[in-house]
Amino acid sequence: MSKIAHVIVDVPIMQTDQPFTYLVPQEIDEAVEVGVRVEVPFGNGNRHIQGFVVGIDFLNNQTEDSDQLKPLVGVLDLHPVVNDELLQLADEMAKTTFAFKITCLQTMLPSVMRSTYKKWLVAVKDVPQHIEEEVFLGLGERDWEEIKESSYLSELHRLRQAGCVDVRYEVTTKNKVKTMKVVTANLPREMLLDIQANTRKNAHQKHRLLNFFIDAQEGEFSVKELVEEHDLSRQVIKEAAELGWLLEEEREVYRDPYKDRVFQQDEALVLNDEQQVALDRVTKATSENKNEVFLLEGITGSGKTEVYLQAISNVLDEGKTAIMLVPEISLTPQTVTRFKRRFGDKVAVLHSGLSQGEKYDEWRKIERKEAQVVVGARSAVFAPLENIGLIIIDEEHETSYKQDESPRYHARNLAIWRGEYHRCPVLLGSATPSLESRARAQKNVYHLLQLTKRASDNAILPTVSVVDMRRELKQGVTGSFSTPLLTELTERLEKKEQSVLMLNRRGYSSFMMCRDCGYVLPCPNCDISLTLHMDTKSMKCHYCGHEEGIPQCCPICDSKKIRYYGTGTQKVEEELQQLLPDARILRMDVDTTRKKGSHERLLQKFEAQEADILLGTQMIAKGLDFPNVTLVGVLNADTALNLPDFRSSERTFQLLTQVSGRAGRGEKLGQVIIQTFNPEHYAITLAKNQHYEAFYQHEMNLRRQGKYPPYYYTVQLVVSHEEELQAAKKMHEIANKIKQALTPQAIILGPTPKPMARMNRRYFYQTVIKYRFEENLGRVLEEILQESQKDIRSGLRVSIDMEPQHFI
DNA sequence: AGCACGCCGACT
DNA sequence: GTCGGCGTGCTC
């Protein structure tokens, strides 16, 4: 009876999106189980690739078809890296997002566990001398990448046929475990004393070492620590180990990014009655194992986080675990500290600021059940926790919870799936819930919990005023700062209070334009203008990363009057510095926060009041909590309003509400000034009044009329090709096919070129489908994907995005 | 994806 | 007649 394994192989295409069956060699029989990664030979050439074991079987009669199966090469893991639940989740994800199973599986794991491949040419026998010298350089083996262009290729091909040379495939996975050498006393205390008595007096090192272990008696000590802090040499430790006094061992260590920080433990705060009601409802669901979804709608400052913390604490008390998702952008040191203070070592943090190795270590901490609470961004929804008692998604309206590449999953949906699996509640929280979630709460699909009061009594809602920039313009203000905003800023400087200024970068950038002929410097690959970056002194494309020098004169008319336009943070900073020469300004944007830890340093500086004004993009809108900030200014509230996206009002409202919440977090009264060219727009007037409910009603009405989510579902199909005609043709073909399969109730928008029609030298066409009930939709989309496979060779790419978050 | 196979034109 | 170009099919 021979063991066989069903394996999902690392070839992300449709034809291989299914398990392949391999024989399990006797020698590694024990190690091969469901959920481990394996190395398998694949295809005609038997190149070696990584795969995931998704099933195990046994063959009774060996004669039948076992001779058609290839044996797998080896095992890459000692223990399964995906359990049964996550395997099921991968299947679910593949099905609902139209992604490949292998892509889903890889997405769930830290990136270090993705294998890299290398091909070697190996000399076997009778290799001609000139090949030996020119190709193998006398080494007997050569990296294929280095010789695949060589002129000996055909000769090598013949030699391979003759068996003189061979190809070796290498699969490497970088999930290295960091280790540390530790020593323990290997002999009882009496014997150590005995040894010490017989050791020469002038062997100072040995005496010191023996004394140390006689005093310390038990415990493990790292060699590094002994050398650095107890004045012992590596040599004497090694000798002691050889003599059998000490026992040397390699210990795994975690790269703990927070190892140098001491987190002072804190205690649960007293909740107000609203918070208490919310907590009780959630806790009741967790302890009764009820799979319910709660929507916690609470104004900024209403203490949602404290409810999360106490709910998690209750879950831990029941011996269960919890996941807390926060948007990447608000996974700030402040947030992390808050969790570390409450739960100490029980917390694992997963976010993009960590190195690959650090991420892997945090993941391993979870997998080995050393962490019970996981705090992280989108992908933390895959945390390999068992016995989950609660999943929380903070700022649930954030679009970053949806991945914008394959697999295009929404963390909220997967969290709810896991909630069902574990029979535990899911808690969605936001001051400005997405219309989708809020509507579900309305229909009692989710349970609505509301926090309407600020948590601490002395914190009052800030006053919000809107400045009409059209009027300012008429009065001769041409810059980024209105008179009221400047007045307030000046006043804050005098009072030694701090201000936060936000520049809404969405739909905005600073570009070079010739004043004489109007020429705008474009990206050679994409359909947009290049953006000026002063820090690197270059022009960059925000879409494809193309970079070139700053032009000194216009490439078309040769005029020297080529200047930059638009409002980047750097330019605003300069403008502000001129207006307020004494102000200490901190700029925070992608340029000043690119380096690791710089984000944190900037905030610390601001917190220590080493600056008066924090000027930044969207990233300052979330989660920051500085008591001395009494003024928040939004320089351009409406740049996003004009984008061709039905969610642009919703985004603007959310952003303004959120940034307003940054003012007056302490005891002083806060003020918010919103500058806009659309002062009557409902997204702005309602944000001014912090009136979510009214916004919800108004926007729902528009969505109903416009047949948009949450009344309708949406799918976006995108076709791209290097030639515009090819992309357009295929898109029309697909759109026609869809039209035929769907009911007349479905609304098909397009095909149209995407607003950003060319990106990375490719042309994009899209079709959006709005629908309510379409039985055939899933099947047709599957067919479209299937049929598009043969077009891949001609350079066509087709993507399907269920419930897209961005339409541009 | 990446490998082998097979069918064509250009060359010894 | 053969070398190497690229289009096609398949991968346990």
Side-chain angles (χ1 to χ4, degrees), chain A residues 120-124 127-143 146-147 152 156:
Chain A
W120 296 88
L121 193 68
V122 190
V124 179
V127 178
Q129 203 185 346
H130 67 284
I131 293 284
E132 172 63 33
E133 283 167 13
E134 310 266 325
V135 176
F136 289 106
L137 309 169
L139 297 167
E141 200 173 62
R142 190 78 194 278
D143 186 339
E146 294 171 9
I147 52 170
Y152 299 108
L156 290 170

Side-chain angles (χ1 to χ4, degrees), chain A residues 573-722:
Chain A
E573 185 187 11
E574 284 167 27
E575 192 184 337
L576 184 60
Q577 196 71 75
Q578 272 184 1
L579 292 164
L580 303 170
D582 299 331
R584 295 167 302 167
I585 305 167
L586 266 187
R587 178 164 61 91
M588 191 155 134
D589 57 19
V590 270
D591 292 331
T592 59
T593 55
R594 195 175 303 111
K595 257 190 274 161
K596 200 181 160 185
S598 54
H599 188 266
E600 189 172 0
R601 268 197 302 283
L602 278 175
L603 292 179
Q604 273 169 0
K605 233 173 135 179
F606 192 62
E607 188 167 21
Q609 304 194 20
E610 289 169 31
D612 308 302
I613 299 171
L614 178 66
L615 167 68
T617 50
Q618 270 84 328
M619 63 175 75
I620 61 166
K622 293 173 211 305
L624 308 182
D625 199 346
F626 299 113
N628 199 39
V629 171
T630 57
L631 174 66
V632 168
V634 181
L635 299 178
N636 53 340
D638 40 23
T639 45
L641 278 178
N642 308 315
L643 295 177
D645 189 326
F646 72 87
R647 272 189 258 260
S648 62
S649 299
E650 187 183 354
R651 301 246 170 78
T652 302
F653 178 83
Q654 285 162 348
L655 186 65
L656 293 180
T657 308
Q658 222 152 47
V659 76
S660 301
R662 299 306 118 220
R665 301 287 285 199
E667 303 197 345
K668 297 167 194 159
L669 183 63
Q671 194 182 356
V672 179
I673 295 183
I674 298 172
Q675 300 186 155
T676 174
F677 287 95
N678 298 289
E680 315 80 18
H681 194 286
Y682 67 98
I684 290 176
T685 54
L686 293 173
K688 168 175 150 51
N689 300 322
Q690 303 267 307
H691 207 331
Y692 175 78
E693 202 52 39
F695 176 79
Y696 168 68
Q697 299 294 349
H698 189 111
E699 185 70 20
M700 280 297 270
N701 238 321
L702 294 178
R703 300 283 180 92
R704 190 163 40 77
Q705 285 165 20
K707 301 191 170 170
Y708 280 113
Y711 292 98
Y712 277 67
Y713 297 109
T714 51
V715 196
Q716 183 189 43
L717 288 135
V718 176
V719 175
S720 75
H721 194 272
E722 289 194 4

Side-chain angles (χ1 to χ4, degrees), chain A residues 31-73:
Chain A
V32 177
E33 46 184 324
V34 172
V36 295
R37 293 174 305 153
V38 287
E39 179 178 337
V40 295
F42 196 68
N44 276 337
N46 278 326
R47 71 203 160 96
H48 291 188
I49 55 174
Q50 189 194 78
F52 287 83
V53 177
V54 294
I56 295 286
D57 257 323
F58 295 93
L59 281 184
N60 289 324
N61 43 348
Q62 265 119 321
T63 49
E64 199 187 329
D65 49 4
S66 69
D67 49 338
Q68 288 163 36
L69 301 180
K70 293 178 185 175
L72 47 82
V73 179

Side-chain angles (χ1 to χ4, degrees), chain A residues 74 139 282 501:
Chain A
L139 297 167
V282 174
L501 293 177

Side-chain angles (χ1 to χ4, degrees), chain A residues 183-185 192 209-217 219 221 226 246:
Chain A
V183 286
T184 41
L192 290 178
L209 180 132
L210 287 164
N211 276 333
F212 180 87
F213 279 94
I214 288 163
D215 291 346
Q217 297 184 38
F221 303 92
L226 291 176
L246 300 178

